Amino acid sequence: MGWDPRIRIVRGSVLELDVDAVVNAANTSMRGGGGIDGQVHRLAGRAMVQELMRVAPHGCKTGQAVLTPGFGLRQKWVVHTPGPVWLDGESGEAALLESCYRTSFGLAERAGARSIGFCGISTGIYGYPLEEAIGIGIRTVDRCLDGSKVEAAVFAMYREDEFEAATDVFRRA
């Protein structure tokens, strides 16, 4: 089978990528948090919070996404998406996670992004099993690339265990 050659896996922070848009694993409040979300807010500054208050005054539902400029980041766009908290694998988590990736990809593409960087959505404190979560992400983005003008989709895995899981998923294709 094989993945679309436009997909790459790298070790590091999504915020270090030279891409047009990055996907931020946010929380539903859209007002900042821990992990990558906190880092996005710290680096982008107050303008990010103000824009999120404008575009998502009541937050954002799990599985959906909102787009903002990158402000102080090197990327032009940030797509903020709240991923699902892992419960038991029988509570709709997979469909919600797939929606995060699909919706985020679509927003970035419509904004004109030719390259998109993804982190491991829901793989941190939300507790989604790594290989399953990353597999959903890669498969979803692979499908999104069909017929797309996007030239590159990069999965930046910050933690070693995320990188190993992503590499395993990628190799098994």
Side-chain angles (χ1 to χ4, degrees):
M1 173 189 147
W3 303 109
D4 190 299
R6 295 175 285 181
I7 296 175
R8 289 185 305 123
I9 310 289
V10 299
R11 172 91 197 276
S13 172
V14 70
L15 298 177
E16 296 169 350
L17 297 176
D18 288 321
V19 293
D20 298 329
V22 292
V23 176
N24 173 27
N27 58 48
T28 57
S29 75
M30 295 283 126
R31 302 297 181 262
I36 191 68
D37 192 30
Q39 196 173 16
V40 164
H41 281 264
R42 278 189 298 284
L43 293 172
R46 181 82 181 130
M48 178 68 73
V49 173
Q50 291 171 331
E51 181 66 6
L52 283 166
M53 289 172 69
R54 187 184 73 74
V55 299
H58 305 292
C60 182
K61 292 181 180 179
T62 301
Q64 298 302 306
V66 296
L67 179 78
T68 66
F71 297 106
L73 303 177
R74 68 176 11 158
Q75 297 86 10
K76 183 175 182 178
W77 303 105
V78 178
V79 182
H80 309 263
T81 186
V85 173
W86 177 261
L87 299 172
D88 56 11
E90 303 295 324
S91 301
E93 297 99 317
L96 288 169
L97 187 58
E98 182 180 329
S99 180
C100 288
Y101 282 99
R102 188 178 56 252
T103 304
S104 296
F105 188 98
L107 284 176
E109 184 178 33
R110 283 191 294 283
R114 295 287 185 222
S115 53
I116 304 168
F118 293 91
C119 60
I121 299 169
S122 290
T123 61
I125 62 168
Y126 284 12
Y128 213 112
L130 281 177
E131 283 199 22
E132 186 175 339
I134 292 167
I136 289 169
I138 293 171
R139 284 189 301 276
T140 303
V141 169
D142 187 56
R143 286 190 303 271
C144 289
L145 284 165
D146 286 343
S148 171
K149 293 181 181 178
V150 172
E151 298 166 1
V154 183
F155 284 81
M157 302 289 107
Y158 188 75
R159 298 186 333 256
E160 181 64 29
D161 58 341
E162 289 178 314
F163 180 72
E164 288 174 10
T167 303
D168 288 346
V169 168
F170 210 69
R171 270 193 229 122
R172 287 195 309 262

